[in-house]
Amino acid sequence: MVSFEPTRAAGQARWSKFLPSAGGYADNRNYVRQGHENVAQISPWLQKRMLLESEVVASLRDQWTFPAIEKLVQEVYWRTYWKGWLEHRPEAWTRWREAVPRLRDTLGHEKRSAWEAACAGRTGISGFDDWSQELVTTGYLHNHARMWFASIWIFTLRLPWELGAAFFYEHLLDGDAASNTLSWRWVAGLQTAGKTYLARADNIAKYTEGRCVPSPGQLAGIALSITEDPLPKAGAWIEDSLWSTPETLPGTGERVGLWLHAEDLVVEKGDLAGTKYTAVNAAWPTRLAAQAGWGEVVEKWTRSAIGDGASRAETHYGVEVERGAREDLPAELLAWARKQNLHSVEAYRPFIGPWLDEGLAIERALGAAGITMKWRRRSWDSELLPHAERGYFPFWERVKRGL
Ligand SMILES: Cc1cc2nc3c(=O)[nH]c(=O)nc-3n(C[C@H](O)[C@H](O)[C@H](O)COP(=O)(O)OP(=O)(O)OC[C@H]3O[C@@H](n4cnc5c(N)ncnc54)[C@H](O)[C@@H]3O)c2cc1C
């Protein structure tokens, strides 16, 4: 059974194991096989940045010719693209967050039974029930299974896509505000106007190599049309100084702390690695965890992942790392900054999602006490995210020119 240990070492080991077979990815990746050895299975580590996209792409470029690994590289950049797209249109996230509890509370009797059956893997649809159970048991699903699952959820079971995205977000170890929300929107036909993804019985039978064969009549033959009000584009966000503060080296005697959070857990590599921090705070925010919509397994995995990042940060910077669980993280960061006599706190700015909400609350708490929050971005993000405002292919063409 697929398993994921929440350490960078385990992510590196998984990637090293897959790398020698990466050249076969393009031909094999659509098959959903037991064990999933035809795909990398590195998404939980990439999502928490326990493995960096830049490391994965660099090792592929190192060991393979570009044509052999172009498809896989393209998939890694899909993650970056979705991140950037959501930064340009954050309302896609806030609308989804607002819709989930409302839809859950107002499901009628029949829909509620269908929703419960879908989450428990009791619909009787071949494949769908297995994927539902696999997701809950392992915290992972193959990409093709995610696409089929989402399509059947929306078009066959006629359940709101928002509740499907919430089910995934609750159980996926790689659960990501951008990749998850926007992929569900893509299947539903909201990302690319008029383009839906309809799962077909023959496609499922082919790519599961006959293990799952829904009878054709069991699946919807047409996709219902879902519409929404256009999403506003965030204005001039690239120039927003809050989005990315340029690097300023601390002045002599300036005491700077680092906030470590679950959206970037390899601070010892890259843009923040050379800064001298007075102290690091990697406290676990219990209120955020209770409100984020994560299941128990995801919560535990995320907390352990932060613990792993904290240990590496401690060794790298040689300073004290705060690790306790705290209900009110902004209050905790403020008390810690005062105790450590900090002039400012730095952090990689979290992407749109729950960690950014927490980060902005921390910024307000520190600011009210005259302590500056300095947001930083990895150069990977500041170079690429601004170009993710339209479709993937213009974005990819631009990326390719730089590879
Ligand atoms: C409905 C739906 C929901 C999804 N939710 C998430 C999510 O919450 N988090 C998440 O990381 N991915 C999500 N994906 C994308 C994709 O399914 C997973 O990234 C991939 O299956 C992870 O497995 P892997 O590491 O074996 O991927 P591989 O196929 O080996 O690809 C390597 C890496 O590239 C990236 N990648 C590959 N495909 C995609 C893609 N379509 N979109 C974005 N990044 C991609 C991932 O980081 C992945 O780890 C979703 C896809 C769908 C259709």
Side-chain angles (χ1 to χ4, degrees), residues 4 15 18 25 29 36 38-44 46-47 53 56 72-80 82 140-148 150 168-169 172 174-181 183-187:
F4 301 91
W15 178 238
F18 183 73
Y25 178 86
R29 69 188 190 105
H36 307 302
N38 51 331
V39 289
Q41 299 178 71
I42 52 170
S43 47
L46 274 177
Q47 197 280 328
E53 296 92 327
V56 168
L72 180 52
V73 172
Q74 210 178 78
E75 294 303 322
V76 173
Y77 278 96
W78 262 102
R79 174 186 143 73
T80 306
W82 284 139
Y140 176 85
L141 272 187
H142 182 286
N143 182 61
H144 218 162
R146 296 185 202 210
M147 289 163 62
W148 294 324
F168 268 26
Y169 196 65
L172 280 173
D174 64 26
D176 186 85
S179 288
N180 189 51
T181 315
S183 297
W184 274 87
R185 287 172 52 86
W186 177 82
V187 172

Side-chain angles (χ1 to χ4, degrees), residues 74-331:
Q74 210 178 78
E75 294 303 322
V76 173
Y77 278 96
W78 262 102
R79 174 186 143 73
T80 306
Y81 169 74
W82 284 139
K83 284 293 194 203
W85 199 94
L86 196 59
E87 296 287 328
H88 287 278
R89 293 175 189 76
E91 217 177 293
W93 166 255
T94 46
R95 277 189 200 174
W96 174 70
R97 290 291 283 180
E98 172 278 320
V100 170
R102 179 171 45 77
L103 291 166
R104 212 178 255 154
D105 292 348
T106 54
L107 280 177
H109 177 70
E110 206 178 309
K111 287 275 178 210
R112 183 166 298 279
S113 305
W115 173 59
E116 285 168 1
C119 296
R122 282 191 280 101
T123 64
I125 300 174
S126 173
F128 185 94
D129 290 346
D130 302 326
W131 304 319
S132 187
Q133 286 163 16
E134 183 181 355
L135 170 66
V136 174
T137 319
T138 67
Y140 176 85
L141 272 187
H142 182 286
N143 182 61
H144 218 162
R146 296 185 202 210
M147 289 163 62
W148 294 324
F149 186 96
S151 177
I152 295 169
W153 180 287
I154 299 168
F155 302 123
T156 297
L157 300 173
R158 299 208 163 207
L159 288 165
W161 71 267
E162 292 93 335
L163 294 187
F167 178 55
F168 268 26
Y169 196 65
E170 183 180 349
H171 296 288
L172 280 173
L173 295 178
D174 64 26
D176 186 85
S179 288
N180 189 51
T181 315
L182 301 182
S183 297
W184 274 87
R185 287 172 52 86
W186 177 82
V187 172
L190 291 166
Q191 275 306 109
T192 315
K195 193 162 178 268
T196 46
Y197 176 77
L198 197 59
R200 290 193 333 262
D202 60 339
N203 183 262
I204 296 174
K206 173 177 172 188
Y207 286 104
T208 58
E209 297 169 324
R211 273 182 300 110
C212 308
V213 189
S215 51
Q218 243 181 340
L219 303 188
I222 47 161
L224 72 145
S225 149
I226 301 173
T227 55
E228 65 174 359
D229 291 336
L231 286 168
K233 204 156 168 286
W237 61 280
I238 300 161
E239 288 84 41
D240 185 346
S241 63
L242 290 180
W243 188 78
S244 176
T245 317
E247 181 178 5
T248 47
L249 293 174
T252 324
E254 192 184 341
R255 294 173 66 83
V256 184
L258 172 71
W259 173 43
L260 184 77
H261 55 71
E263 294 222 305
D264 201 310
L265 291 171
V266 197
V267 283
E268 73 276 18
K269 280 204 84 170
D271 305 58
L272 301 188
T275 309
K276 273 192 88 54
Y277 293 111
T278 304
V280 175
N281 194 310
W284 173 250
T286 54
R287 188 175 54 199
L288 181 159
Q291 292 171 354
W294 304 325
E296 217 176 294
V297 176
V298 171
E299 181 176 334
K300 208 165 147 226
W301 205 90
T302 307
R303 188 169 178 183
S304 300
I306 294 182
D308 180 67
S311 300
R312 283 179 283 102
E314 189 162 53
T315 309
H316 179 76
Y317 295 113
V319 297
E320 192 186 321
V321 178
E322 192 62 55
R323 287 183 165 88
R326 300 284 186 276
E327 169 81 10
D328 184 345
L329 195 61

